[in-house]
Amino acid sequence: MEYKRKPSESLDEYRIRLCQNKDLYDLRWQDISELWYEETSERKSPDWFRKFYRYFSEGYEYALKVNSPNEEYIKELEEKKIEFEKAKYQYQDQKREYRKLIANQARFEHLRDEIIKAIADIGKSKPLAFTPRPLSPSDKEGLVLFSDWHFGMEVDNTVNKFNKEVFDKRVKKLVEKTIEYGKQHNIKTLHVAQLGDLLSGNIHISTRVQSNENIIQQVQYVSEVLSEILAAFANEFENVKYYNVIGNHGRAGQKQDVGIKENFEYLIPWYIEARLKGFDNIEIVVDEDGFICANIKGKQIIFVHGNFDRIDNAVTRLPQMLGYIPDFIIGGHIHHHYEKEYGKTTIITNGSLIGVDDYAMQNRFYAKPSQKFMVFNDEDLECTYNIKLN
């Protein structure tokens, strides 16, 4: 907006333009007073401009009545008034969207700064050491699925209890079982697919009510837990490959207000990469648009969270978009174990770490907290372990 005086504009014209376009320019009377001082070095109070414009408007209306303009002129004035109102609302909409963008960017930058401090502090107090493993004679590959941990939420109902202490116990059991099954099957490469919603987030009122950790603490804690898990895996298996797929609970706002890239779970792999700098056998893969295409022992796999890919349509829509038929589409989101073949493609959904929360209880949905571990050989998917965590 042109707040400054135009070269051909008189001081009277400039003053009237500022007052007439006050709402369009989103100015306060105080702003007009300051702009006037910058231009003229003349101090006039905000109230002076407010009174001036009131008297000017009254005189302008009186002049119109006295001069009895013709109907064509009145119609022209009305049309200009309508255009002005349209422009005002358009500008207000643009400003509102701009403020949302700035707010989201500010939150990400603040979170990034907090995480930088956390990495520096934790790296000194709890260093993660890497011991190279001897080469494995086997060529089997394992896949462990992490999804729907919802760290930060507290649940205490008839069938389930979940808090920070329960979270730690379930994660510990999950890691122990993964290493146990991996050793049992002589796994050479372990794939770790993080399928989203490891955070409780703050996208719904219900999650904010149940949450006992703010989003910054959630990201820091989950990122550190994942770093320690991957460090443990790297010291047990020859190769570790980590996939990071975003969920919906990590969104930086309401769905209609933010884009797919504005998700706090994109900060998790950034933290992990900084924390595990000395680990040469860990590879990190980050999704671009809410999914990752992977190849495990020749099997084409698509990792998704599931909020964009419902079970009944993912098997047709994803192949149409990608141009090939995958062997597996693997996701989370629905919080319970599910496997079904659709022609050449098998749909697999992972359970949740949290178990039955308030939403599930109210809708009478039940599923035990669980995560999956899968073993692939040269021929196919050899077996699947549904690791019960309650």
Side-chain angles (χ1 to χ4, degrees):
M1 290 300 178
E2 298 182 50
Y3 297 145
K4 300 299 182 181
R5 181 185 174 192
K6 298 176 181 179
S8 60
E9 197 172 35
S10 69
L11 286 175
D12 285 338
E13 290 171 337
Y14 177 54
R15 178 175 56 192
I16 293 170
R17 179 168 64 84
L18 288 180
C19 293
Q20 280 183 327
N21 294 280
K22 173 178 169 293
D23 291 336
L24 179 61
Y25 293 170
D26 197 25
L27 296 174
R28 301 168 301 167
W29 293 116
Q30 177 67 39
D31 299 325
I32 293 176
S33 174
E34 292 172 1
L35 288 169
W36 183 261
Y37 177 73
E38 290 177 8
E39 180 63 32
T40 67
S41 299
E42 181 182 12
R43 286 286 185 194
K44 291 192 179 293
S45 69
D47 197 49
W48 186 92
F49 284 95
R50 182 181 60 79
K51 290 179 179 179
F52 157 77
Y53 187 60
R54 188 186 73 188
Y55 296 140
F56 172 81
S57 299
E58 291 174 353
Y60 181 75
E61 293 293 334
Y62 177 75
L64 286 178
K65 291 179 181 179
V66 170
N67 290 298
S68 299
N70 58 42
E71 291 183 4
E72 185 177 345
Y73 181 64
I74 293 176
K75 184 179 179 180
E76 183 181 347
L77 288 177
E78 289 297 326
E79 289 175 352
K80 287 183 178 180
K81 183 178 179 181
I82 291 172
E83 291 302 317
F84 170 78
E85 290 296 323
K86 288 181 181 178
K88 181 176 72 173
Y89 286 116
Q90 289 171 356
Y91 174 70
Q92 290 172 347
D93 289 343
Q94 291 171 355
K95 186 171 183 180
R96 184 163 53 250
E97 294 303 315
Y98 179 71
R99 283 173 175 164
K100 288 179 184 177
L101 175 63
I102 294 300
N104 288 335
Q105 289 177 347
R107 293 173 73 193
F108 268 92
E109 289 173 3
H110 174 59
L111 186 52
R112 180 198 61 198
D113 294 341
E114 291 296 318
I115 288 177
I116 290 173
K117 295 176 186 177
I119 294 173
D121 294 340
I122 294 176
K124 294 176 183 176
S125 62
K126 195 192 293 184
L128 299 175
F130 172 53
T131 303
R133 305 297 300 171
L135 298 180
S136 172
S138 169
D139 61 353
K140 288 185 180 181
E141 300 187 14
L143 168 63
V144 61
L145 306 180
F146 293 168
S147 72
D148 302 285
W149 289 7
H150 293 281
F151 173 75
M153 291 183 74
E154 283 196 356
V155 175
D156 192 355
N157 55 44
T158 308
V159 298
N160 185 40
K161 184 173 183 178
F162 185 81
N163 52 36
K164 193 171 184 178
E165 290 71 30
V166 175
F167 171 88
D168 290 337
K169 290 179 182 178
R170 292 179 181 176
V171 167
K172 181 181 179 182
K173 182 178 179 180
L174 174 61
V175 173
E176 289 173 349
K177 286 295 182 180
T178 299
I179 294 174
E180 176 187 334
Y181 296 143
K183 292 295 184 181
Q184 180 180 327
H185 289 275
N186 297 315
I187 294 300
K188 179 177 182 178
T189 298
L190 177 64
H191 301 264
V192 182
Q194 190 281 99
L195 304 177
D197 277 5
L198 298 197
L199 314 174
S200 167
N202 53 16
I203 62 170
H204 301 303
I205 292 176
S206 59
T207 58
R208 292 196 292 270
V209 170
Q210 289 183 261
S211 177
N212 65 351
E213 303 278 344
N214 66 40
I215 191 69
I216 294 177
Q217 293 170 328
Q218 291 172 25
V219 172
Q220 288 177 339
Y221 194 84
V222 167
S223 298
E224 178 58 26
V225 167
L226 278 173
S227 298
E228 293 176 17
I229 290 173
L230 292 176
F233 289 162
N235 284 313
E236 296 290 346
F237 302 102
E238 188 174 330
N239 302 301
V240 176
K241 193 167 185 178
Y242 171 79
Y243 306 88
N244 193 90
V245 179
I246 60 167
N248 56 303
H249 277 257
R251 286 198 309 258
Q254 296 298 314
K255 181 166 58 176
Q256 68 273 15
D257 297 335
V258 298
I260 194 172
K261 302 292 185 182
E262 296 173 285
N263 193 300
F264 291 116
E265 287 186 334
Y266 278 125
L267 292 166
I268 293 175
W270 178 78
Y271 181 108
I272 292 172
E273 187 174 3
R275 190 79 167 91
L276 301 177
K277 282 184 178 179
F279 289 75
D280 297 331
N281 65 337
I282 296 179
E283 180 182 353
I284 297 174
V285 181
V286 182
D287 78 85
E288 291 290 337
D289 298 293
F291 67 91
I292 291 177
C293 299
N295 187 304
I296 299 179
K297 300 298 289 181
K299 298 299 179 182
Q300 297 292 335
I301 299 175
I302 303 176
F303 294 122
V304 299
H305 174 59
N307 55 319
F308 299 130
D309 307 281
R310 297 199 319 270
I311 293 172
D312 59 347
N313 65 31
V315 73
T316 55
R317 292 185 180 180
L318 283 172
Q320 286 291 324
M321 182 177 69
L322 298 174
Y324 67 90
I325 299 175
D327 297 292
F328 297 92
I329 298 175
I330 301 177
H333 188 58
I334 61 175
H335 288 209
H336 67 264
H337 155 77
Y338 177 89
E339 293 188 15
K340 186 174 180 180
E341 291 182 344
Y342 290 83
K344 294 183 178 180
T345 303
T346 300
I347 298 287
I348 297 176
T349 61
N350 195 33
S352 74
L353 195 79
I354 187 174
V356 178
D357 59 7
D358 286 356
Y359 173 81
M361 181 61 73
Q362 291 166 10
N363 290 276
R364 300 299 187 256
F365 300 144
Y366 180 77
K368 294 178 180 179
S370 66
Q371 304 279 265
K372 288 182 182 293
F373 178 81
M374 306 160 72
V375 179
F376 290 84
N377 57 33
D378 288 330
E379 297 177 359
D380 207 341
L381 171 61
E382 182 176 307
C383 62
T384 298
Y385 293 89
N386 201 31
I387 305 172
K388 301 294 177 62
L389 300 170
N390 58 333

